[in-house]
Amino acid sequence: MDLLAIVAHPDDAEIFCGGTLAKHAARGDDVTIAYMTRGEFGGFDTTQAEVAETREAEARAAANVLGADVTFLDYQDGRITYSLEHRLEIVDLLREYDPDLVLTHFADDMHPDHRTTSRLVTDAYYMASLPLLETAAEPADPDNVYYFGKPTSSFEPTVIVDVSEFQETKEEAALCHESQVAWLEEHGGVDAEFSDFVESMRATGHTLGRQAGATYAEGFTQLHETSVEYLE
């Protein structure tokens, strides 16, 4: 089974679905993380270019811990926009990797990049299989899209994945993002409440785990509700 996680920024994959990605990679599935941006706004006392370079290196190190491959799509942090051109670029991404399952952000999220990424991926998923839509790659037909997000009144996971055996791997991968640990401690902006983001991941994982009789879990919703839950 091939999984493609399409995330807005470096560290999004580790925070929201790192345990699930590590679990599938460990069982021999092909796992790829596609980063829409290099997160160049996530810094201070430096330049956007330096932040982007640092965060790309951190993302590659984290993905290596998870057992995932990586690709970067070169959108600008904080400035991902919805357009037909961008939708077709995501169509080509889906066709190039031809995954069985796609993971991405839940549509109702505080961050505009998360919201736009979710919409682009959802609409590209619909178009990726159309044989008369000609792009650089051949049509692909992923089975489903799984959405992740911060538990809120609007995001209520319907698929719970036990990641207890991979929580340590998830945390190790998250801590590869050293620049973001410093960013959250020193500044953080609207994300300052997550300054100890490993502890925040643990708390969320414990809460979801109780629903599955597990120590730690991650939660998702599906684009198509099916009787088969492919994420395990």
Side-chain angles (χ1 to χ4, degrees):
M1 183 183 295
D2 296 343
L3 273 67
L4 175 63
I6 305 176
V7 300
H9 314 101
D11 76 20
D12 284 338
E14 293 78 9
I15 291 172
F16 293 115
C17 60
T20 299
L21 297 181
K23 186 173 186 176
H24 278 265
R27 76 176 198 180
D29 294 340
D30 291 329
V31 176
T32 301
I33 305 171
Y35 299 98
M36 298 287 283
T37 79
R38 288 170 170 79
E40 61 269 21
F41 277 165
F44 55 95
D45 294 336
T46 184
T47 66
Q48 290 185 41
E50 290 173 340
V51 173
E53 182 178 359
T54 296
R55 297 199 68 186
E56 177 177 342
E58 291 172 345
R60 292 186 183 277
N64 186 60
V65 171
L66 297 177
D69 294 324
V70 301
T71 188
F72 290 85
L73 301 183
D74 297 325
Y75 292 91
Q76 294 182 303
D77 186 16
R79 292 152 287 181
I80 302 175
T81 57
Y82 188 92
S83 68
L84 177 59
E85 177 185 2
H86 291 167
R87 189 200 313 168
L88 292 177
E89 289 171 352
I90 304 303
V91 167
D92 258 336
L93 175 73
L94 295 176
R95 289 178 168 185
E96 177 185 355
Y97 284 92
D98 192 20
D100 297 295
L101 302 179
V102 180
L103 283 63
T104 196
H105 299 276
F106 184 64
D108 185 9
D109 190 283
M110 179 172 59
H111 200 301
D113 284 347
H114 293 186
R115 295 195 302 269
T116 306
T117 296
S118 181
R119 184 181 174 196
L120 285 169
V121 172
T122 301
D123 292 353
Y125 165 83
Y126 179 84
M127 298 182 71
S129 65
L130 301 177
L132 295 183
L133 175 62
E134 296 182 4
T135 67
E138 293 298 314
D141 190 15
D143 292 330
N144 211 341
V145 180
Y146 284 78
Y147 302 101
F148 50 73
K150 297 173 184 176
T152 64
S153 59
S154 60
F155 179 67
E156 299 180 359
T158 56
V159 176
I160 307 296
V161 179
D162 182 353
V163 298
S164 303
E165 295 182 15
F166 297 92
Q167 180 69 21
E168 185 175 338
T169 302
K170 172 177 178 169
E171 293 180 14
E172 180 183 351
L175 288 173
C176 287
H177 296 278
E178 295 180 9
S179 69
Q180 295 313 288
V181 174
W183 159 257
L184 290 169
E185 289 178 349
E186 296 292 332
H187 184 273
V190 295
D191 288 324
E193 62 181 295
F194 305 106
S195 57
D196 188 343
F197 75 141
V198 169
E199 186 56 39
S200 177
M201 289 192 304
R202 288 175 182 166
T204 300
H206 273 308
T207 299
L208 290 169
R210 285 196 291 269
Q211 299 181 39
T215 305
Y216 293 103
E218 292 173 342
F220 304 84
T221 61
Q222 301 167 277
L223 178 59
H224 298 302
E225 295 297 331
T226 68
S227 59
V228 179
E229 295 179 358
Y230 293 93
L231 287 182
E232 298 182 358

